Each structure stands twice: as structure tokens, then as C-alpha cells.
Amino acid sequence: MSSSANPEVVIDTFVAEIHQYFDYFLFAFSTKESRRRLVFRLNVLAICIAITLGVMIGLVSGKAIVDPFNQVSKGAYVASIVFAIFPPVLYDSILLTRLFALYPISATPPATLLKIFTLPFCIKCTRVIVVAIGLNDYVSSELSTLTLEQDSANAWFRNPEMTAEWGLQIADNLYSVSIFLYNLHLRTSSVKRVGGIAERIRQIFYISVANFVFPLIFNIAQIICITTDRSPTIGVLLLMINNFITVIGVLCATLWFSGSEWVRTRNDPLSDHVVNSPKLNSGRDCVTGGRSSELAAGLNTPEKECKYVLV
């Protein structure tokens, strides 16, 4: 086997191994109900994009190391850049869907939805335009992969488009997580937190904060790097890590929710048997009377809201 083929073989083998584990965890611990939801499918799409990014970066870097005088085509090189800088907009859009748990489209006035989602929608459109302009300026000035790599240091250092993109990403995520956590606190503060409800709300809070804090740290590091370091090596490494950490956060949140749904669906038959027992239904019904009805209503509200939170 020629040495030039080794990187591709290694990458394909690695991706095949990782992909089967993703498939196993995602679909083994999910339910038919959760797999039908748009957010679950978007999470799967995000993971597939991250895998493709790894393939593209590995192919471009491996080819440059093994055969530096025979680089990949310009199209493959540009594709690796596209998969590195555009997907964060998709990842942040997935995080934004948390707000639909608190503001369901069917139950929220259009004026309220417009007020809440106009700003993040405008920010995301601006981010796409800024990144597209920066990529076009970089790509259109060179004719080959070799000249693009040679000009990467000049294009990287204090690049206004990428600096603006990361600043807008911070503002975008800050808005989304602030609105979500504030409204989650308002909606759940009046609910009697008994049993697993308090723990579930705590888990949602920690997942939301983690999905914001870690990308924030890397965004700040990227801005510092692009304004102080002329070499793009460290900055590109930070960009890759930020992408993968964001996807891992999405994956962990999906697995947590899917696992909860998986357990709940298997406990439902037992719960139905207990609720429908003649002994329990005699006298004071556990769903229709007294303090038990209040508890059932309290348990229903957070569970109904939390079932949409796949962030």
C-alpha cells in the first residue's frame, strides 16, 4: 500500500469505529417519540457534520504531511474550511430551540414569538453573511491549494470577519441561554419540586450552562489568538476543539434526555398498572382529588416542558 493512501485508510477506519458508537448510543437509548422530534434529528445532523469535519481536516492535513508537493484539490481544501466555520451557526440554532419548550408555537401569540426570536434570527443571519464574505475574500484571491496555505497567515491575523463572527456567537449564545434559564426559573419556581422533578430541573440547568460556558471560553481564546498570534496553527486547533466540544455537549444532552425517555417508557406500564388498580381507585382518587391532584398537576407541567428540551 502506498504511503499516500495511508492517511485516508486511517481516517476511514477511525470514522467507521466512532460512527457505530454514536449510532448505538443515540438510537439504543432513544424512543420512537423522541426520534420523531425535529431537535433529535438536528442533533444527529450536527454529529454527522462533526464527523465529516474530522474526515476533511484529517484528509487535508494528512495529505500535506505525507505528500506536501501533491496537495488536495482547492475544492477539498475550501470544503474543510466551510465545515469548520459554518456549522457553529447550526449548533447554536439547535440550542435556540430550547425556547420552544417554554414558548410553544401552538400556544404562544405570534407577536410574542416575533419579539423573542427576531434578535437571534438577525444575529444568525449576520453571522452567515460575515463568514461568507470572509471566506469569499480568502478563496477568491488565490488559484491553488498551495497558495491558499501560504497566504493563510496573512488572512488569519486580525481577520475582521472571523473576529466579528466569534463576537456575535458570544452574544447569540448569551441571549439564548439567558432567556431560557430566566424563563425556566419563572415557570418552575411555583411548582412543588418533589421526587425527581427538582433533580431534573437541576440537570437541565447544568446542561444549559455547560453548553454555554465551554464554547464561551474557547470563543474568547480564539479572539485573543487571532489578534495576537500571526500563526493560524493554534487558532485553527482552538476552532476545531470548540466545534467538537459543542457537538459533544449536544450529544451528551441528547443521550441524557433519550436515556430518561427510555427509562420512562419502560416504567409507564408499571405505573399504569398501579394507577388503574381497583384498590387505589376506590375512595379518594389519586388523580382527581385533594392534594394528590395538585401533586399530579405539578409533576405534569415540568415533565411536559422538559420533554422538548434536547440541548
Side-chain angles (χ1 to χ4, degrees):
M1 182 182 295
S2 63
S3 61
S4 61
N6 287 338
E8 299 180 17
V9 174
V10 173
I11 291 167
D12 291 341
T13 305
F14 173 77
V15 170
E17 292 293 328
I18 294 298
H19 190 268
Q20 67 180 359
Y21 288 113
F22 280 154
D23 287 344
Y24 172 78
F25 283 114
L26 277 176
F27 293 97
F29 292 100
S30 61
T31 62
K32 291 183 179 179
E33 181 184 357
S34 64
R35 287 194 291 268
R36 283 197 298 265
R37 294 180 187 136
L38 175 61
V39 181
F40 184 90
R41 297 174 183 179
L42 289 176
N43 289 332
V44 174
L45 175 61
I47 294 169
C48 293
I49 291 176
I51 294 175
T52 305
L53 171 62
V55 172
M56 297 301 299
I57 295 298
L59 180 61
V60 172
S61 302
K63 191 73 171 178
I65 294 172
V66 174
D67 193 3
F69 298 103
N70 187 21
Q71 300 282 351
V72 296
S73 64
K74 181 181 177 181
Y77 185 81
V78 173
S80 66
I81 299 175
V82 170
F83 276 98
I85 61 179
F86 278 100
V89 180
L90 171 64
Y91 306 153
D92 296 337
S93 299
I94 297 175
L95 296 179
L96 185 65
T97 58
R98 291 176 298 187
L99 296 180
F100 287 114
L102 304 176
Y103 298 97
I105 296 178
S106 59
T108 306
T112 303
L113 292 175
L114 189 64
K115 292 176 183 177
I116 294 172
F117 291 99
T118 297
L119 179 59
F121 177 77
C122 293
I123 292 177
K124 285 174 173 55
C125 291
T126 305
R127 289 174 60 184
V128 172
I129 293 172
V130 166
V131 172
I133 292 174
L135 179 63
N136 181 70
D137 292 343
Y138 173 56
V139 172
S140 60
S141 60
E142 306 296 342
L143 299 177
S144 66
T145 302
L146 182 61
T147 53
L148 284 173
E149 289 185 343
Q150 292 173 347
D151 192 52
S152 59
N154 295 329
W156 164 263
F157 186 61
R158 295 182 180 176
N159 186 291
E161 287 83 10
M162 293 308 303
T163 305
E165 149 64 9
W166 294 329
L168 289 171
Q169 186 176 5
I170 293 175
D172 192 2
N173 291 339
L174 181 61
Y175 175 86
S176 299
V177 75
S178 299
I179 294 293
F180 175 76
L181 293 180
Y182 176 72
N183 282 275
L184 180 67
H185 171 72
L186 291 181
R187 303 293 181 89
T188 59
S189 59
S190 59
V191 176
K192 186 177 180 180
R193 300 183 182 181
V194 295
I197 293 299
E199 181 63 23
R200 191 174 178 89
I201 293 174
R202 251 194 317 272
Q203 290 172 346
I204 294 173
F205 174 81
Y206 291 145
I207 289 173
S208 301
V209 171
N211 284 341
F212 167 71
V213 170
F214 290 110
L216 172 66
I217 293 173
F218 281 96
N219 279 335
I220 295 175
Q222 288 169 184
I223 293 175
I224 294 174
C225 185
I226 200 172
T227 55
T228 59
D229 189 2
R230 289 185 176 274
S231 175
T233 304
I234 298 178
V236 171
L237 180 61
L238 290 173
L239 179 62
M240 296 300 102
I241 294 175
N242 194 9
N243 273 279
F244 291 130
I245 283 183
T246 303
V247 174
I248 289 173
V250 171
L251 174 62
C252 291
T254 305
L255 290 176
W256 167 79
F257 173 80
S258 299
S260 300
E261 287 286 285
W262 186 81
V263 172
R264 181 182 63 81
T265 55
R266 279 149 184 77
N267 289 336
D268 277 347
L270 179 60
S271 301
D272 293 340
H273 174 74
V274 173
V275 171
N276 293 328
S277 174
K279 183 180 293 186
L280 288 176
N281 285 333
S282 61
R284 195 172 185 179
D285 192 274
C286 66
V287 177
T288 59
R291 293 185 59 192
S292 297
S293 63
E294 297 175 3
L295 180 59
L299 287 173
N300 181 61
T301 302
E303 289 291 329
K304 189 174 181 181
E305 290 181 354
C306 293
K307 68 185 288 189
Y308 297 101
V309 183
L310 294 173
V311 294

